Amino acid sequence: MAKDKVVEEGMVWAIIGYIWILFLVPLLAKKDNKFALYHAKQGMMLFIVWVVFFVATLIVGWVPIIGLLLSALMWIVLLVLFVIGIINAATGKYAPLPVVGKTAEKWKI
């Protein structure tokens, strides 16, 4: 079964879209590819979650035990979302990230 041409052409760009701030690359360079753009928006949402987690870690990180546990939990969640996004992009799926992905789907870019 042949993959959709849009998915094939945008797959590498979609994967790049999940790597930290590199979501900007497909967002700016591949605006004509629906698959790459979809995953770039998901990657942008993941980056925003990372920034929020980073700030939260700075705020609660100094609290003994609770801060450490909360920080570890936040980073595990972020890693899981990252892996899910990469797997979705690499397998050619238009699937939103759990919890935060539906917000990215609503963005008009």
Side-chain angles (χ1 to χ4, degrees), residues 32-104:
D32 59 330
N33 187 287
K34 182 180 174 186
F35 185 71
L37 190 60
Y38 177 86
H39 286 285
K41 290 191 299 185
Q42 294 288 314
M44 183 169 37
M45 188 69 218
L46 189 59
F47 179 75
I48 291 168
V49 169
W50 176 83
V51 170
V52 170
F53 280 5
F54 181 76
V55 171
T57 300
L58 291 176
I59 292 169
V60 300
W62 61 271
V63 179
I65 301 174
I66 294 172
L68 180 64
L69 292 174
L70 191 57
S71 295
L73 179 64
M74 287 189 284
W75 291 113
I76 289 169
V77 167
L78 189 66
L79 179 64
V80 168
L81 291 176
F82 172 78
V83 169
I84 290 170
I86 294 286
I87 290 171
N88 285 341
T91 57
K93 294 179 185 171
Y94 287 93
L97 293 172
V99 182
V100 297
K102 291 288 186 184
T103 302

Side-chain angles (χ1 to χ4, degrees), residues 6 9-10 13 26-37:
V6 173
E9 290 176 357
W13 296 95
L27 199 61
L28 299 173
K30 285 304 225 178
K31 282 191 169 189
D32 59 330
N33 187 287
K34 182 180 174 186
F35 185 71
L37 190 60

